[in-house]
Amino acid sequence: MTTLVPADAPAPLTPSLLYLDGVTVSFDGFRALNELSLQIAPGEMRAIIGPNGAGKTTMMDVITGKTRPDTGEVLFDRGVDLTRLDEAAIANLGIGRKFQKPTVFESHTVEDNILLALKGDRRARAVLTARTSDQETRRLDEILEIAGLTAQRHRLAGLLSHGQKQWLEIGMLLAQDPKLLLVDEPVAGMTDAETEATAALLKRISAADHSVVVVEHDMAFVRALGVKVTCLHEGSVLAEGAIDTVSENPRVIEVYLGR
Ligand code: ADP
Ligand code: MG
């Protein structure tokens, strides 16, 4: 079958899961984001790099509704305008955010932590005494596998290493089945082995069809992800592309890598 498309036809609607265009955020006249434009495809993992103060965290604050942009478009999942929604409504749309400090229940086991997240209920006693459906059990096993914590499932979360706690927290976010997961500096404070394991974990999440936006300074980690990289600087995109292209960009070397 042939589809005729006139040469002057408008471009097809963007297939982006997340679409930022011309986003500006000012704090007392200082532009933390300055006409930022960025698009993430469904199922894509994107690494965000850039010097301190480049606006990386502010970008995540805008996406999650913590900060309202002064101007610009922020659209999610076929045109939902995130600038009109509050943080809870945005989370409910399927945007999960991993903060740096893990907030796991230390006195519960790894699998109970994930079950609590799966059932979307923080009343531990009620949840943990209730019956777990076969579907929940399957999902629990799947999440433990993705998070690399199957062997640790019966351990108390409080006994996990720093890295394992971070993975558990990511597993708890996965339990909410986000379309998009935002992760800010996940390997800070991790050993080299934990850093490598975290790259593998995020790749499994991405392969399971979740989009991921990960901010990280550790270039070995970013390289291990093997995904498209965006370098932010002064609130906008300085360079974007494969890691080799971006890391050879003279401006990126000047403002970030070469320091
Ligand atoms: P990054 O995460 O890339 O290091 P941030 O997004 O945290 O950068 O910060 C970008 C700029 O905006 C920085 O100069 C920071 O000081 C400023 N900034 C961020 N949040 C606020 C705020 N709530 N009030 C004032 N300035 C802020
Ligand atoms: Mg930051």
Side-chain angles (χ1 to χ4, degrees):
M1 196 182 84
T2 312
T3 311
L4 293 174
V5 180
D8 60 351
L13 282 177
T14 155
S16 307
L17 178 69
L18 179 71
Y19 176 94
L20 273 67
D21 191 40
V23 173
T24 296
V25 171
S26 304
F27 295 113
D28 299 323
F30 171 80
R31 290 187 168 203
L33 295 182
N34 188 9
E35 300 280 330
L36 175 66
S37 299
L38 186 87
Q39 295 182 34
I40 308 294
E44 177 181 1
M45 173 150 60
R46 178 74 58 87
I48 310 282
I49 61 172
N52 285 330
K56 304 180 299 293
T57 299
T58 304
M59 179 191 79
M60 294 203 172
D61 291 343
V62 165
I63 297 166
T64 54
K66 189 174 173 212
T67 299
R68 295 246 171 265
D70 305 319
T71 58
E73 277 190 289
V74 186
L75 303 176
F76 181 67
D77 202 11
R78 295 162 198 270
V80 180
D81 181 355
L82 296 184
T83 67
R84 293 172 177 276
L85 301 176
D86 65 18
E87 287 184 81
I90 290 173
N92 281 333
L93 282 177
I95 298 183
R97 180 177 191 173
K98 163 83 179 73
F99 287 95
Q100 243 168 312
K101 200 165 174 277
T103 52
V104 301
F105 296 103
E106 306 237 324
S107 58
H108 285 291
T109 63
V110 166
E111 70 171 32
D112 282 353
N113 268 276
I114 303 223
L115 266 180
L116 285 165
L118 255 184
K119 300 195 184 204
D121 191 334
R122 300 230 130 192
R123 291 168 307 155
R125 186 180 300 274
V127 168
L128 297 175
T129 52
R131 199 181 156 272
T132 301
S133 71
D134 293 351
Q135 195 195 341
E136 283 165 340
T137 305
R138 269 196 305 276
R139 187 75 188 121
L140 169 65
D141 291 347
E142 200 173 85
I143 291 169
L144 286 167
E145 213 43 49
I146 291 178
L149 291 172
T150 302
Q152 315 291 333
R153 63 190 298 164
H154 300 303
R155 290 191 79 200
L156 291 182
L159 299 178
L160 298 177
S161 71
H162 168 72
Q164 288 169 332
K165 279 184 193 169
Q166 301 284 341
W167 304 334
L168 176 55
E169 173 119 335
I170 292 174
M172 291 166 75
L173 285 167
L174 268 187
Q176 286 146 43
D177 204 18
K179 292 184 178 123
L180 173 65
L181 192 59
L182 306 172
V183 195
D184 203 350
E185 303 194 19
V187 305
M190 285 191 183
T191 64
D192 288 353
E194 286 175 331
T195 298
E196 266 179 53
T198 303
L201 185 165
L202 291 181
K203 286 200 268 192
R204 288 194 293 274
I205 290 176
S206 169
D209 239 16
H210 303 270
S211 292
V212 181
V213 172
V214 52
V215 167
E216 187 47 71
H217 285 285
D218 184 322
M219 291 304 283
F221 169 81
V222 171
R223 194 168 282 281
L225 292 176
V227 299
K228 186 168 167 181
V229 176
T230 298
C231 180
L232 296 191
H233 176 54
E234 295 178 346
S236 35
V237 174
L238 181 66
E240 196 164 81
I243 179 76
D244 288 330
T245 316
V246 170
S247 59
E248 284 163 16
N249 181 306
R251 288 283 290 139
V252 174
I253 293 170
E254 185 189 330
V255 306
Y256 183 51
L257 295 176
R259 294 163 315 152

